[in-house]
Amino acid sequence: MDFHTNVEGGVPASAPSLANLHGAALRTASPGTAQSPCATCTVRHLCLPGDLDEKSRRPLEALTIGRRRVRKGQKIFREGEGFQFLYAVRMGTVKTTVALHDGHEQVTNFHLPGDILGFDGLADGSHPTTATALDNAEVCAIPYIQLMEACGDVKPLRYRVAQLMALQLVRDFRSLKLVAGRGSEQRVAGFLLQMSGWMKDRGYSAREFQLRMSRADIGSYLGTALETVSRTLSAFARRGFITVRHRRIELLQPQELLMHVDKGE
Amino acid sequence: MDFHTNVEGGVPASAPSLANLHGAALRTASPGTAQSPCATCTVRHLCLPGDLDEKSRRPLEALTIGRRRVRKGQKIFREGEGFQFLYAVRMGTVKTTVALHDGHEQVTNFHLPGDILGFDGLADGSHPTTATALDNAEVCAIPYIQLMEACGDVKPLRYRVAQLMALQLVRDFRSLKLVAGRGSEQRVAGFLLQMSGWMKDRGYSAREFQLRMSRADIGSYLGTALETVSRTLSAFARRGFITVRHRRIELLQPQELLMHVDKGE
DNA sequence: CGGGCCATTGAAGTATGTCAAAGTTTGTGG
DNA sequence: CCACAAACTTTGACATACTTCAATGGCCCG
């Protein structure tokens, strides 16, 4: 069942773990012990450490990485705030948004465990986006200056950081491609397959999953009205491609969805 | 006249040069001399060197940077090709596209002199996009490996490279914001202001400029039909906001365009 | 158990895509 | 240098998919 490849290739994930997406990561080290949070992290193969070898990974453990719990709806950083940290999502789901001129917000992306947020803030020293937790989440704050220092000494780490930024680039224009898709069916189908691929990358079922974001968020992300998202999901369900129960999605015929992504383009 | 700030803030450009966008850069050094092409470049303040000091810039001059002429319509790199070089646009205009499943192409971005292309190829070692010259252009090929080596020694250079990647990120989701805009008027107005800002960044008139891309390219970029782009431009012209003569654009009332960007959002 | 938020569904108006044709410009070759 | 051809742009008419406004219904949390 490899129906993602055309939509969301992703990086070949080295053996995904089987831990739970929500509720697995608990603070193991006492505050004084200062153990690297990566040691107990279930998504480290997607995150900064990647597949770096023992030696290259050591400088990461020297970084003073802070763990931070973020409740549903709380912000991790706000648009315009000074940039100091990169944030790695350890558990939960995060959306990034930009404020529009009339106060509304435009969703620019969704982020799952293992993703690193905030690279864009490094362009001019302040975050151009706001990051909001969609559920009770936990993030690791990585001090940017320290990371850049470490990169000077360790070549593989330097390459890894560059790769992560590039991955963010690739992800962003995959999103662009989604939004640019003509017709709501292409967009919604693309979104579902993207979510499915993301789940798969993290070792979860690509077939059945729970959306953490509202229809309004999806609509904003895809550039359509929330009602259209809802209607399109219903239409897919009526045709037997998926089942929808509120935010629980099951993909019954992913290849049909893929056909819809391809069609209008 | 600072009507861009809300749409395309850009980086504060240090004193833009007054050279011509097309036709200025001629190969000065003979092949054997191997002088850094940056020395004679009119947009180096936007490019890799940025505002790095003399000392930090030196390692850049040691890179074996090749200049390459690209005729209108020719490709700089193709989707799927192996990634070895970053390409700095020295003169001319470049579009990046992704192939869609039925053979059509989707424009992901436009690139003007000073922009650096190809960072995204670094994610998995091959370019996910195709870069095509929109006019007779010239690019500098920067060997990625060499650049990364140089970054190990020189801290400011390391920060500069990270900043450039971040800038690319910011630009990309500015584009996303454009495409996501409801209604063709917001999108086309946003596009015009974006172009205007880009021109301004390079020391040209923000008020009057020549588009290098076709209506089809613009439509693809904005996610609308090319006819809609044309109609919308005509509508703006009819209302006195702009004048359009084929690809020559003059912004008569940029603030009106800005209002249109703001309105529907 | 109740209130608020979120999702679903309906109906109507409109903007945009599509198809088609004519008018311009650019580029090429004689 | 001119003329023709190809490519691009503009404009029109029509069909349709989407947005908007509105009301109902279902979850979840307090």
Side-chain angles (χ1 to χ4, degrees), chain B residues 183-247:
Chain B
S184 63
E185 299 211 334
Q186 280 96 52
R187 293 197 256 216
V188 173
F191 171 73
L192 290 174
L193 292 172
Q194 188 182 60
M195 284 300 304
S196 167
W198 285 348
M199 287 314 206
K200 192 185 171 194
D201 290 343
R202 284 158 185 83
Y204 305 106
S205 169
R207 197 164 162 282
E208 193 176 2
F209 47 86
Q210 180 108 20
L211 299 176
R212 313 318 276 214
M213 65 291 288
S214 69
R215 300 288 191 268
D217 285 335
I218 300 172
S220 172
Y221 178 58
L222 295 179
T224 70
L226 68 93
E227 292 93 333
T228 304
V229 175
S230 182
R231 266 187 261 271
T232 307
L233 286 174
S234 300
F236 283 154
R238 207 173 309 120
R239 282 183 267 173
F241 301 165
I242 62 175
T243 60
V244 186
R245 271 215 343 241
H246 309 107
R247 293 190 180 181

Side-chain angles (χ1 to χ4, degrees), chain A residues 10-55:
Chain A
V11 200
S14 44
S17 84
L18 296 171
N20 284 323
L21 183 54
H22 303 276
L26 288 174
R27 193 181 301 260
T28 51
S30 65
T33 321
Q35 188 186 344
S36 167
C38 299
T40 58
C41 188
T42 58
V43 288
R44 59 177 175 279
H45 62 288
L46 294 173
C47 194
L48 247 183
D51 53 1
L52 291 177
D53 58 34
E54 178 63 24
K55 208 178 80 188

Side-chain angles (χ1 to χ4, degrees), chain A residues 126-147:
Chain A
S126 69
H127 289 286
T129 53
T130 298
T132 310
L134 290 171
D135 47 16
N136 293 329
E138 197 167 312
V139 295
C140 300
I142 304 163
Y144 171 62
I145 304 275
Q146 281 185 33
L147 180 62

Side-chain angles (χ1 to χ4, degrees), chain A residues 6-7 10-12 79 98-102 104 106-109 119-124 128-129 144-146 148-153 155 158-170 172-173 175-177 179-182 187 219-221 223-225 258 261-265, chain B residues 6-7 10-12 79 98-102 104 106-109 119-124 128-129 144-146 148-153 155 158-170 172-173 175-177 179-182 187 219-221 223-225 258 261-265:
Chain A
N6 286 326
V7 165
V11 200
E79 200 171 336
V98 289
L100 297 179
H101 321 269
D102 64 350
H104 286 181
Q106 160 76 34
V107 174
T108 58
N109 229 328
F119 277 120
D120 46 16
L122 170 174
D124 72 344
T129 53
Y144 171 62
I145 304 275
Q146 281 185 33
M148 287 300 270
E149 294 304 319
C151 282
D153 307 324
K155 200 201 307 189
R158 198 152 71 234
Y159 278 84
R160 177 61 183 161
V161 170
Q163 186 187 37
L164 281 169
M165 293 192 67
L167 271 173
Q168 188 62 50
L169 269 170
V170 173
D172 280 359
F173 80 59
S175 300
L176 188 85
K177 201 169 155 183
V179 179
R182 330 242 159 221
R187 294 197 256 217
S220 172
Y221 178 57
T224 69
L258 193 54
V261 174
D262 291 6
K263 211 168 32 182
E265 293 176 338
Chain B
N6 287 326
V7 165
V11 201
E79 200 170 337
V98 289
L100 297 179
H101 321 269
D102 64 351
H104 285 182
Q106 160 76 33
V107 175
T108 59
N109 228 328
F119 277 120
D120 45 18
L122 172 173
D124 73 343
T129 54
Y144 171 62
I145 304 276
Q146 281 185 34
M148 287 300 268
E149 293 304 319
C151 283
D153 307 325
K155 201 201 308 188
R158 198 153 71 235
Y159 278 83
R160 177 61 182 161
V161 170
Q163 186 189 36
L164 281 169
M165 293 193 68
L167 271 174
Q168 188 62 51
L169 269 171
V170 173
D172 281 0
F173 79 61
S175 300
L176 188 85
K177 200 170 156 184
V179 180
R182 330 242 159 221
R187 293 197 256 216
S220 172
Y221 178 58
T224 70
L258 193 54
V261 174
D262 291 6
K263 210 167 34 181
E265 293 175 338

Side-chain angles (χ1 to χ4, degrees), chain B residues 14-204:
Chain B
S14 43
S17 84
L18 296 171
N20 285 323
L21 182 54
H22 302 278
L26 288 175
R27 191 181 302 259
T28 51
S30 64
T33 320
Q35 188 187 345
S36 169
C38 298
T40 58
C41 189
T42 59
V43 287
R44 58 177 175 278
H45 62 288
L46 294 172
C47 193
L48 246 184
D51 53 1
L52 291 177
D53 58 36
E54 178 62 26
K55 208 179 83 188
S56 311
R57 223 162 42 214
R58 190 139 327 144
L60 285 181
E61 288 158 18
L63 302 182
T64 57
I65 294 181
R67 297 251 295 274
R68 197 173 131 195
R69 289 186 177 285
V70 192
R71 297 196 168 280
K72 184 174 177 176
Q74 282 187 330
K75 317 285 187 201
I76 298 166
F77 52 80
R78 283 166 209 275
E79 200 170 337
E81 263 182 27
F83 165 75
Q84 290 183 47
F85 300 100
L86 299 170
Y87 294 92
V89 180
R90 190 185 166 95
M91 94 187 197
T93 314
V94 174
K95 68 173 175 184
T96 43
T97 56
V98 289
L100 297 179
H101 321 269
D102 64 351
H104 285 182
E105 64 177 26
Q106 160 76 33
V107 175
T108 59
N109 228 328
F110 300 110
H111 306 268
L112 269 56
D115 287 344
I116 298 187
L117 288 80
F119 277 120
D120 45 18
L122 172 173
D124 73 343
S126 69
H127 289 286
T129 54
T130 297
T132 310
L134 290 172
D135 47 16
N136 292 328
E138 196 169 311
V139 296
C140 299
I142 304 163
Y144 171 62
I145 304 276
Q146 281 185 34
L147 180 62
M148 287 300 268
E149 293 304 319
C151 283
D153 307 325
V154 191
K155 201 201 308 188
L157 184 56
R158 198 153 71 235
Y159 278 83
R160 177 61 182 161
V161 170
Q163 186 189 36
L164 281 169
M165 293 193 68
L167 271 174
Q168 188 62 51
L169 269 171
V170 173
R171 284 185 41 144
D172 281 0
F173 79 61
R174 284 214 181 101
S175 300
L176 188 85
K177 200 170 156 184
L178 258 188
V179 180
R182 330 242 159 221
S184 63
E185 299 211 334
Q186 280 96 52
R187 293 197 256 216
V188 173
F191 171 73
L192 290 174
L193 292 172
Q194 188 182 60
M195 284 300 304
S196 167
W198 285 348
M199 287 314 206
K200 192 185 171 194
D201 290 343
R202 284 158 185 83
Y204 305 106

